[in-house]
Structures are given as structure tokens and as C-alpha cells.
């Protein structure tokens, strides 16, 4: 059962109150589109341009693109495709720099110098708060670039194109950014909802099987906390999913993404002020396992082990 954010704040104010008290209270609605699109970087696809320009279609939108180097290695020419896309949609898009490359995977979250380098690149490109950072990559790159962007002018517009199963069904559609520090996973971070998300299934074609399987753990997690029928479906399709067959994989990504979104919007605690944090099921041990393995364990693999530990613990403790 979720706790409404305002109720949560009010709860903290219970007990004797100071006599001269003004209670400041306001809420800001958040809204971002999550678009499921195949071939979003093909020049003729308008989804990405729409996502960036939708609020002010009459002007050009300055943007920088940041690309995951692991993805780029698997998809040579991706930087050129971003350039061509910007040219084709030059009525609304203005690419302000060459696409910026960042190391893929946990390396992106473990190097403080990278955050500084991104800040410098955004400054050089003269991005203001109405400008956009387009980030294309796995969950780690999305987390690190989102964190850097959230502190420039107190928050640039970030448009995400997640490129892994995990990030398309979980982190990429959510509201959090982070990097690792002081031997602690996600020690630095911010709540920074994206400006838009484009989930492009064609990006998953090059993903190694191990990464695809690991990412499915977050789908199992959200099924366990929110949707028994989805859990049944996952069990029934386990063999095809373990081979990452495109059709069931796409259903998994879509359903898991929508469940995550639904949870964030409607469970009453989008910015995790309370301590329940059901989306972190299996994660307390997962984060420690990731660190202890020197990030040899993928995040999804660690979550799978963490859920097993929690389930066994729950069973044994009755
Ligand atoms: N912000 C959130 O809410 C949230 C939620 C869940 C997980 N996360 C974070 O996400 C991270 C894990 O992300 P992940 O599982 O997406 O993996 P990842 O970002 O670690 O990427 C794994 C590897 O795949 C490469 N890669 C990415 N896309 C590729 C593609 N299409 N083809 C080939 N290679 C590709 C990367 O370069 C990297 O080497 C963890 O740091 C975790 O903490 C964040
Ligand atoms: Zn996770």
C-alpha cells in the first residue's frame, strides 16, 4: 500500500508544532512520453524529433548526443546516424556538437572525471535549460549522463534512448539518476524525470545474450510485486525468453516498462521518500554483490540472486 507524498510530509509534522509556523506546500506535475518505436534513428521516423520538440514545435531545439561506447562498437555508424537524423529534422533540431562518447557499463558510473568532462562538454555546446541531452545507451550510461545533466543549470532536458533489455524495461523509463562512489552503489544521484523516452527495439538486436537475460530479472521483479498474471506469462515463456527470441522479448519489455511506469505514477511515492521502496525488491543484497564481485556480476544477475535470497528469507521466517 503506497503512502501519498503529502500525507507522508504531514505525518512528519505530527506532535507538538512550533507556534509560528508557515507550512510551505506545492506540487509540480511531471509528464513525459514513453514511445515504443522501431528504427527511431531512421531519417523518416518522426518520433524522436516530436519527443524533443513537442512543446515548442515552432523553434529549433539545441541538443547534444551522448553515446555508449559499447553500443557504438556493436553498431558502427551510430554517431553518423544521429548526425543525419538531426540534418533531416533541422527544422526543429540543432545538433550543437559531435556526438560525445562515454565508456559503457559500470565504468561510466565509477569515474568522477567523466561527470566533469560531460559538464564541460555541455558548457562548450552552450546548452541552456531549454536544451536537450539525448543519451543512447545501457542503464549505466543513462544513469551517469542523467546525473551530470541534472546538475547543469539545475536540470537540462534529458531524452533517453535505452539500449538494453534492463534499461528499456526499468531504469530507462524511471525517474532516477546516479553514479557509484565511496564503494557504494548509486551513492551520488538525483531524482530527475526524463523529458522523453524512446524505446527502440532495433537497438536490442546487438545485445549479448548474457546482458539480455540479466535484464529480464527486473521484469520478473516488477511482475512479482505488481502483476501475478505477468509472472505466470514469464514462467510459461521462460525457454523462449532465455534465448532472447524477439517476439516474447518485446512483449516482456513493453509490459515491464508499463508496470514500472504505473508503479511510479500511482503507488504514491515516486521519489521514494518512504522506506518501503517495493521496486527495490531483491536489491539490498544485489548492490552489495555487485560491489563485492568488482562488477563482474551484471546488475540484473545480482537482482535475480537478491530476489531468491529475499524469497527464501520470507519463506523461512514465515
Ligand atoms: N536509474 C534506475 O532507476 C535504474 C534501474 C535499474 C538499473 N539501473 C542501473 O543500470 C545499470 C545496469 O544497466 P544495464 O543492465 O542496462 O547494462 P549496462 O549499462 O551496464 O551495459 C552493459 C554492457 O552492454 C553494452 N551495451 C549497451 N547496449 C548495447 C547494445 N544494444 N548492444 C551491445 N552492447 C550494448 C554496454 O556498453 C555495456 O558494456 C546498473 O548500474 C544499475 O544500477 C538504474
Ligand atoms: Zn535494479
Amino acid at each position: 500500500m503506497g503512502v501519498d507524498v503529502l500525507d507522508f510530509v504531514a505525518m512528519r509534522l505530527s506532535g507538538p508544532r512550533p507556534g509560528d509556523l508557515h507550512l510551505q506546500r506545492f506540487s509540480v506535475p511531471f509528464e513525459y512520453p514513453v514511445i515504443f518505436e522501431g528504427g527511431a534513428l531512421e531519417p523518416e521516423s518522426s518520433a524522436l524529433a516530436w519527443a524533443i520538440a513537442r512543446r515548442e514545435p515552432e523553434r529549433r531545439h539545441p541538443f547534444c548526443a551522448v553515446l555508449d561506447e559499447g553500443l557504438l562498437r556493436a553498431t558502427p555508424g551510430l554517431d553518423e546516424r544521429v548526425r543525419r537524423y538531426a540534418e533531416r529534422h533541422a527544422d526543429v533540431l540543432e545538433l550543437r556538437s559531435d556526438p560525445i562518447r562515454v565508456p559503457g557499463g559500470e565504468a561510466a558510473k565509477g569515474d568522477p572525471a567523466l561527470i566533469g568532462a560531460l559538464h564541460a562538454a555541455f558548457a562548450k555546446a552552450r546548452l541552456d535549460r531549454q536544451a536537450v541531452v539525448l543519451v543512447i545507451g545501457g542503464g549505466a550510461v543513462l544513469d551517469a549522463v542523467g546525473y551530470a545533466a541534472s546538475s547543469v543549470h539545475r536540470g537540462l532536458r534529458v531524452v533517453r534512448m535505452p539500449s538494453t533489455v534492463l534499461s528499456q524495461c526499468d531504469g530507462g523509463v524511471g525517474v532516477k539518476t546516479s553514479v557509484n562512489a565511496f564503494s557504494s552503489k548509486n551513492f551520488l544521484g538525483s531524482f530527475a524525470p526524463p523529458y522523453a523516452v524512446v524505446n527502440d527495439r532495433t537497438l536490442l538486436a546487438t545485445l549479448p545474450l548474457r546482458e539480455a537475460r540479466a535484464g529480464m530479472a527486473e521484469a520478473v521483479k516488477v511482475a512479482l510485486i505488481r502483476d501475478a498474471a505477468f509472472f505466470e506469462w514469464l514462467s510459461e515463456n521462460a525457454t523462449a525468453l532465455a534465448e532472447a527470441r524477439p517476439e516474447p522479448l518485446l512483449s516482456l519489455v513493453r509490459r515491464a516498462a508499463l508496470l514500472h511506469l504505473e508503479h511510479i505514477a500511482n503507488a504514491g511515492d515516486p521519489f521514494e521518500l518512504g522506506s518501503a521502496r517495493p521496486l527495490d525488491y531483491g536489491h539490498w543484497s544485489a548492490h552489495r554483490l555487485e560491489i563485492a564481485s568488482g562488477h563482474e556480476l551484471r546488475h540484473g544477475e545480482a537482482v535475480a540472486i537478491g530476489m531468491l535470497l529475499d524469497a527464501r528469507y520470507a519463506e523461512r521466517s514465515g
Side-chain angles (χ1 to χ4, degrees):
M1 197 49 190
V3 177
D4 180 81
V5 176
L6 294 180
D7 288 346
F8 181 80
V9 173
M11 266 156 36
R12 294 283 141 143
L13 290 174
S14 60
R17 298 185 185 192
D20 190 359
L21 169 80
H22 167 79
L23 180 57
Q24 173 79 332
R25 173 182 275 199
F26 59 84
S27 51
V28 180
F30 283 99
E31 181 187 83
Y32 52 93
V34 177
I35 302 165
F36 296 87
E37 171 86 350
L41 290 172
E42 296 302 320
E44 60 275 13
S45 168
S46 59
L48 178 59
W50 176 85
I52 292 175
R54 68 185 190 279
R55 284 192 192 142
E56 302 119 319
E58 67 295 336
R59 71 168 173 95
R60 295 184 80 200
H61 295 256
F63 79 105
C64 284
V66 187
L67 310 180
D68 180 317
E69 271 176 356
L71 168 68
L72 201 56
R73 262 196 307 280
T75 320
L78 187 68
D79 43 357
E80 193 43 46
R81 275 163 59 195
V82 171
R83 268 193 220 99
R84 277 209 308 273
Y85 189 86
E87 274 166 25
R88 169 70 175 72
H89 296 272
D91 53 330
V92 287
L93 300 182
E94 179 196 349
L95 186 59
R96 277 276 174 90
S97 72
D98 283 336
I100 302 160
R101 302 156 172 232
V102 297
E106 240 20 64
K109 293 176 67 166
D111 177 10
L114 176 67
I115 302 303
L118 287 168
H119 285 159
F122 298 154
K124 191 169 171 218
R126 302 184 328 281
L127 299 190
D128 63 17
R129 204 182 294 152
Q130 275 71 44
V132 166
V133 174
L134 169 66
V135 47
I136 312 178
V141 166
L142 300 180
D143 271 0
V145 177
Y147 176 60
S150 74
S151 51
V152 172
H153 296 307
R154 304 190 176 90
L156 301 174
R157 295 177 178 181
V158 173
V159 174
R160 305 185 191 138
M161 287 185 66
S163 68
T164 61
V165 169
L166 186 138
S167 58
Q168 288 200 0
C169 69
D170 182 345
V173 300
V175 296
K176 296 186 282 185
T177 80
S178 66
V179 292
N180 308 329
F182 309 109
S183 305
S184 188
K185 179 90 181 163
N186 303 332
F187 184 77
L188 301 173
S190 54
F191 285 99
Y195 192 69
V197 182
V198 179
N199 260 355
D200 183 342
R201 58 183 170 271
T202 63
L203 291 177
L204 301 181
T206 54
L207 193 66
L209 185 59
R210 180 180 173 185
E211 297 290 346
R213 283 181 180 165
M216 293 178 211
E218 300 278 17
V220 172
K221 173 203 74 184
V222 79
L224 282 171
I225 64 171
R226 298 218 47 110
D227 189 340
F230 183 36
F231 185 74
E232 290 298 325
W233 182 89
L234 288 166
S235 308
E236 282 158 18
N237 289 276
T239 309
L241 287 167
E243 294 165 6
R245 286 199 211 138
E247 212 179 298
L249 185 60
L250 291 181
S251 303
L252 172 145
V253 165
R254 197 164 189 289
R255 209 152 156 189
L258 294 177
L259 280 171
H260 274 101
L261 288 164
E262 210 261 329
H263 183 89
I264 291 166
N266 299 322
D269 192 14
F271 292 161
E272 302 179 355
L273 298 173
S275 57
R277 293 164 52 180
L279 284 180
D280 274 354
Y281 177 52
H283 278 59
W284 69 269
S285 52
H287 288 160
R288 285 161 186 80
L289 288 166
E290 282 178 83
I291 299 276
S293 73
H295 296 292
E296 171 47 35
L297 267 183
R298 322 301 310 134
H299 176 71
E301 292 168 349
V303 170
I305 296 168
M307 288 190 291
L308 183 67
L309 284 173
D310 284 0
R312 284 265 188 272
Y313 180 82
E315 184 191 20
R316 291 204 182 169
S317 63

